[in-house]
Amino acid sequence: MKTLKWMIITVIVLGLLTVFIGMPMMKEQTKKHSPEITARYIENGYDLSVVYSSPSKKDRIIFGKLVPYNKVWRTGANEATTFTTTNTIKVKGKKLPSGTYSLWTKPKVKSWDIIFNKEVPNWGVTILSGGSETTRNPKKDIFIINVPIENLNEVIENFTINFENKEQLHLTLAWDKTKVNVPISR
């Protein structure tokens, strides 16, 4: 009986150490390689932000290899990428109410699917899959839109999400020699 009691206590202590020390340490280590960045746009009545982790290219083949085509990607590294709007907006004509959403993408050769999801999971991928499976729940998708890719002449070393306003507001995602522009309006 004493042995069983000590085994249970040991398992509980190890579990608590993992949750309260191991996981925060792991997150801190991964952020050294893929720092967390916040992109904001506060103009013309918009108040938008995206929080994501920015991995580097490091001479790797990105799209089609590191980030497979036709497979949902967490859109960055580490935790799931989040998109926040304080007002109802339209994303390529589809209504997005104010709130915080997880932002997922499915890169394809000539276009990307952009996915806004109601749930914001703690981490963007499952640990047991070795990072190949996302934690996205498709039943919680608000909508999926498709946008064409823009081939760039210059390499973008770090994955970058930003807002650009040239006649039309766009959420932009760029890495390596690929960029997508997601139109945003009222």
Side-chain angles (χ1 to χ4, degrees):
M1 189 70 165
K2 274 188 170 183
T3 305
L4 180 60
K5 180 180 173 182
W6 280 108
M7 284 176 61
I8 292 171
I9 290 171
T10 302
V11 168
I12 290 170
V13 168
L14 288 174
L16 291 171
L17 285 171
T18 299
V19 169
F20 292 108
I21 295 173
M23 294 296 280
M25 244 168 95
M26 185 176 77
K27 282 186 179 184
E28 182 181 317
Q29 290 301 312
T30 61
K31 299 239 175 159
K32 287 180 184 176
H33 301 289
S34 300
E36 186 174 276
I37 297 174
T38 300
R40 291 201 60 120
Y41 185 82
I42 306 173
E43 288 182 40
N44 307 320
Y46 290 100
D47 187 353
L48 309 170
S49 65
V50 178
V51 179
Y52 67 102
S53 291
S54 175
S56 300
K57 178 173 168 46
K58 296 179 187 170
D59 294 321
R60 300 178 288 185
I61 297 169
I62 301 301
F63 298 107
K65 181 100 171 159
L66 180 67
V67 177
Y69 287 126
N70 302 309
K71 191 168 183 183
V72 175
W73 177 41
R74 69 178 150 183
T75 314
N78 306 325
E79 295 91 353
T81 295
T82 60
F83 180 94
T84 302
T85 176
T86 60
N87 306 52
T88 296
I89 59 171
K90 289 183 180 173
V91 180
K92 198 176 177 188
K94 298 208 180 227
K95 185 177 171 183
L96 185 67
S98 64
T100 298
Y101 304 91
S102 55
L103 179 67
W104 308 86
T105 52
K106 184 191 282 186
K108 299 175 185 176
V109 175
K110 296 186 186 241
S111 66
W112 283 20
D113 288 339
I114 310 296
I115 306 161
F116 288 85
N117 188 286
K118 291 178 190 174
E119 285 185 344
V120 179
N122 288 339
W123 205 248
V125 293
T126 62
I127 293 172
L128 294 177
S129 74
S132 65
E133 298 297 323
T134 68
T135 55
R136 169 182 155 253
N137 179 355
K139 292 178 182 174
K140 299 292 183 171
D141 289 348
I142 305 266
F143 56 75
I144 300 173
I145 60 164
N146 185 270
V147 293
I149 68 160
E150 177 184 337
N151 292 307
L152 304 173
N153 293 325
E154 301 288 321
V155 170
I156 308 284
E157 177 63 27
N158 292 84
F159 176 62
T160 305
I161 299 177
N162 213 340
F163 294 96
E164 291 180 4
N165 195 355
K166 299 174 186 169
E167 297 177 26
Q168 160 82 56
L169 178 60
H170 286 93
L171 171 68
T172 63
L173 299 92
W175 197 14
D176 197 2
K177 288 190 165 189
T178 301
K179 180 179 178 182
V180 294
N181 299 295
V182 181
I184 296 175
S185 62
R186 294 211 171 259

